[in-house]
Amino acid sequence: MWKERSKKEFIVILDKSTKASDVTPASKIQCLKDAIYKYDSYTTLQKEPVFLDGGFDSWLWHYPSLTTNPQLPKVGNDFFHCFYYFFALTL
């Protein structure tokens, strides 16, 4: 999926629970977006990546039927600071 990111119409970046209003230029999730969109010299994306407001927690709350395991165990935010999920969507 990563190698085909330039063919995808949307790249959605999310973590566990970050709200879009809490994203700052120095936040880790914004740095990831910048690395993918501004500094990736291997490919050009069709559109600027977007954030999923509220992260995976929000997705799980609103769409449990579209989640493989809607009963995920509670994990502290520290675990998710290092891991971000990418979903490339083709419309």
Side-chain angles (χ1 to χ4, degrees):
M1 185 182 305
W2 179 249
K3 290 182 180 180
E4 303 211 359
R5 63 194 179 276
S6 65
K7 298 176 186 174
K8 305 302 179 184
E9 186 173 356
F10 295 102
I11 303 293
V12 179
I13 302 173
L14 65 132
D15 64 0
K16 184 173 184 327
S17 60
T18 297
K19 303 284 277 170
S21 60
D22 296 335
V23 175
T24 65
S27 63
K28 292 179 182 182
I29 198 167
Q30 180 63 48
C31 291
L32 177 62
K33 178 182 172 184
D34 290 344
I36 294 169
Y37 188 63
K38 294 180 182 179
Y39 307 117
D40 184 359
S41 62
Y42 293 105
T43 190
T44 302
L45 300 179
Q46 292 182 26
K47 296 181 179 178
E48 186 172 351
V50 295
F51 299 117
L52 180 64
D53 192 28
F56 186 74
D57 286 351
S58 180
W59 174 269
L60 186 59
W61 178 258
H62 289 93
Y63 305 103
S65 63
L66 299 177
T67 305
T68 305
N69 181 3
Q71 301 301 322
L72 294 176
K74 291 285 183 182
V75 179
N77 275 340
D78 292 341
F79 176 78
F80 286 95
H81 281 183
C82 298
F83 297 96
Y84 293 91
Y85 300 93
F86 302 93
F87 293 96
L89 305 174
T90 305
L91 296 180

